[in-house]
């Protein structure tokens, strides 16, 4: 078979770029943990010496790190002054935790993918699942770090207002369950915004519930509590609002989870399902966002679902139609796509 030199060259070019990206992942985490991005973005132009002394780190390591960052385009290098700096866009993505596009959290989760590769390789052979709690611990705080900026910037200002009548109920005082709450990023944001309402976060992963309790405590939140429970067995009834943030597709039996949520809701209650953004077909999802989510899905979402009863394994790129089918099969009669972001679909289901 004859090789097309141009195509081969293009493919190798892509692989070299991605090799750099994969190798740079730990450097992003180091930059985040040591405050290298934050200090550089706050201080303007700096030499490696200046950044090292500001962050109390070793200059030789910082110089190498800065060179890798400049080569990647995550920081800029001014060859005249021999100083490094960050543009407002680079700061938004790496330097400012409050920015809606702060992305470093994703790389903590990606660390767990490499650690857990042997487990998933084995699952490819057996077809068995791997439970959420059986992953490297980087996954749990990575998930929290990755989703929090988006929740902080969208949940109260856009997603909840896109649900019919829900903001008013929450302002007045409503009973809310946040299913698959993980470290409670979403629960805490809602509890702070709506002090008259009561929130209960449920997750079947005990360690996550412990973290959720401690996060809520640190945040001074008194109207949220947390319990270990599966989506099909969580206690309580007459909820006004039930939420699923980035977790319905991870469940073995999303239909059963929706059926249980429907039973636990008041007849005029609302269920909000936040899911990764996806279109309905593989062809339409063959793009950078779809590609990233298919990779996460292979390593996390599909194994998590396959490890549970039913094991429907919707995958992170299920898309609106498949989700709608599962939600309708769970007994919800009204469904709409309330809003969306480049990373999320926000779905409203009502009994
Ligand atoms: C991708 S994480 C999302 C966590 C959290 N909602 C957030 O947005 O940060 C998926 C969560 O779903 C939980 N989960 C998966 N299947 C579950 C089930 N059947 N019942 C309860 N929780 C479940 C996992 O433990 C995990 O915390």
């Amino acid at each position: 078979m004859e090789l097309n030199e141009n195509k081969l060259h293009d493919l190798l070019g892509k692989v070299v770029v991605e090799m750099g990206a994969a190798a740079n992942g730990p450097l992003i985490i180091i930059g985040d943990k040591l405050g290298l991005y934050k200090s550089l973005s706050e201080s303007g132009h700096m030499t490696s010496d200046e950044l090292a002394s500001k962050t109390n780190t070793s200059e030789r390591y910082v110089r190498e790190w800065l060179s890798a960052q400049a080569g990647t385009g995550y920081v800029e290098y001014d060859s005249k002054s021999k100083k490094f700096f960050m543009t407002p866009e680079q700061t938004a993505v790496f330097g400012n935790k409050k920015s809606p596009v702060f992305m470093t959290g994703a790389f903590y989760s990606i660390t767990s993918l490499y650690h857990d590769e042997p487990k998933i390789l084995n699952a490819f052979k057996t077809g068995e699942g791997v439970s959420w709690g059986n992953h490297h611990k980087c996954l749990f705080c990575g998930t929290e770090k990755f989703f929090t900026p988006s929740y902080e910037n969208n949940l109260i200002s856009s997603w909840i207002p896109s649900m019919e009548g829900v903001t008013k109920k929450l302002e007045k005082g409503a009973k809310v369950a946040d299913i698959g709450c993980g470290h409670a990023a979403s629960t805490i944001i809602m509890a702070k915004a709506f002090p008259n309402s009561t929130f209960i976060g449920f997750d079947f992963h005990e360690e996550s519930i412990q973290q959720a309790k401690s996060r809520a405590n640190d945040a001074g939140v008194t109207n949220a509590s947390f319990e270990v429970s599966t989506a099909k067995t969580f206690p309580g009834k007459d909820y006004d609002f039930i939420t699923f943030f980035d977790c319905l597709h991870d469940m073995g039996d999303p239909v059963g989870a929706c059926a249980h949520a429907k039973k636990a809701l008041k007849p005029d209650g609302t269920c909000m399902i936040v899911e990764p953004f996806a279109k309905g077909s593989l062809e339409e999802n063959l793009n950078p966002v779809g590609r990233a989510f298919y990779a996460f899905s292979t390593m996390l979402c599909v194994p998590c679902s396959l490890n549970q009863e039913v094991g429907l394994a919707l995958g992170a790129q299920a898309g609106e139609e498949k989700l709608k089918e599962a939600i309708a099969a769970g007994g919800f009669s009204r469904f709409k796509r309330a809003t969306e972001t480049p990373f999320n679909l926000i779905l409203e289901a009502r009994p």
Side-chain angles (χ1 to χ4, degrees):
M1 229 179 25
E2 214 175 296
L3 290 179
N4 176 316
E5 282 299 323
N6 287 337
K7 284 186 181 170
L8 182 63
H9 191 260
D10 287 350
L11 182 58
L12 285 173
K14 185 174 154 105
V15 171
V16 171
V17 168
E18 310 223 332
M19 212 169 72
N24 200 48
L27 276 70
I28 293 174
I29 293 173
I30 288 170
D32 185 53
K33 284 187 174 168
L34 295 177
L36 300 176
Y37 292 119
K38 187 170 181 288
S39 293
L40 183 61
S41 63
E42 285 172 357
S43 307
H45 290 53
M46 287 177 117
T47 62
S48 53
D49 246 329
E50 289 164 341
L51 182 58
S53 83
K54 181 147 194 235
T55 53
N56 206 15
T57 48
S58 151
E59 187 280 332
R60 185 63 193 93
Y61 279 99
V62 169
R63 196 189 335 147
E64 212 69 358
W65 181 88
L66 279 166
S67 306
Q69 299 312 293
T72 307
Y74 291 173
V75 312
E76 300 297 317
Y77 178 59
D78 174 18
S79 56
K80 263 199 189 147
S81 64
K82 302 214 176 310
K83 290 192 176 195
F84 297 87
F85 64 99
M86 286 170 76
T87 63
E89 296 74 27
Q90 290 163 341
T91 299
V93 175
F94 296 106
N96 175 10
K97 281 191 167 52
K98 294 275 165 215
S99 145
V101 291
F102 186 67
M103 293 294 284
T104 61
F107 294 90
Y108 289 81
S109 298
I110 289 165
T111 302
S112 81
L113 308 188
Y114 281 88
H115 278 290
D116 297 333
E117 170 271 318
K119 287 177 192 162
I120 305 301
L121 178 145
N122 192 48
F124 267 74
K125 294 184 189 164
T126 62
E128 284 169 9
V130 176
S131 76
W132 183 260
N134 195 6
H135 285 278
H136 189 276
K137 63 180 167 48
C138 292
L139 174 63
F140 317 126
C141 68
T143 303
E144 177 190 13
K145 278 182 199 285
F146 183 43
F147 289 145
T148 298
S150 169
Y151 296 167
E152 269 177 354
N153 284 280
N154 296 301
L155 180 49
I156 307 300
S157 60
S158 151
W159 296 352
I160 290 180
S162 73
M163 309 272 122
E164 215 181 302
V166 172
T167 304
K168 263 200 184 135
K169 284 189 193 175
L170 291 170
E171 280 168 355
K172 221 170 142 201
K175 185 172 160 184
V176 185
D178 189 11
I179 314 303
C181 67
H183 283 192
S186 51
T187 332
I188 292 170
I189 291 168
M190 293 191 288
K192 277 177 151 176
F194 300 107
N196 294 332
S197 290
T198 310
F199 296 81
I200 313 183
F202 296 108
D203 199 292
F204 74 169
H205 181 225
E206 207 172 324
E207 240 180 78
S208 285
I209 287 296
Q210 277 166 15
Q211 288 301 324
K213 286 180 182 170
S214 117
R215 297 283 198 275
N217 194 37
D218 292 349
V221 163
T222 53
N223 56 332
S225 58
F226 300 91
E227 274 181 45
V228 176
S229 182
T230 74
K232 282 171 73 174
T233 56
F234 67 87
K237 53 182 183 153
D238 293 334
Y239 289 101
D240 298 286
F241 189 40
I242 296 183
T243 55
F244 290 84
F245 287 92
D246 280 292
C247 61
L248 188 67
H249 68 274
D250 292 318
M251 294 176 181
D253 183 9
V255 175
C258 286
H260 186 70
K262 192 207 156 202
K263 258 199 284 166
L265 269 179
K266 280 183 183 161
D268 67 343
T270 301
C271 185
M272 175 164 81
I273 300 114
V274 175
E275 278 286 305
F277 186 88
K279 300 260 179 165
S281 68
L282 172 61
E283 292 81 346
E284 292 170 293
N285 291 327
L286 297 180
N287 54 53
V289 171
R291 174 216 186 191
F293 282 145
Y294 278 125
F296 281 118
S297 189
T298 309
M299 301 298 285
L300 303 170
C301 314
V302 164
C304 180
S305 178
L306 288 177
N307 197 54
Q308 301 178 35
E309 59 180 329
V310 182
L312 190 61
L314 281 172
Q317 292 292 274
E320 188 175 333
E321 272 314 303
K322 280 204 189 108
L323 291 162
K324 184 178 173 181
E325 271 171 36
I327 292 164
F332 284 98
S333 53
R334 287 179 287 168
F335 174 94
K336 73 167 192 200
R337 183 198 306 198
T339 184
E340 64 184 58
T341 69
F343 288 122
N344 284 112
L345 291 171
I346 320 306
L347 309 170
E348 179 189 273
R350 306 192 63 185

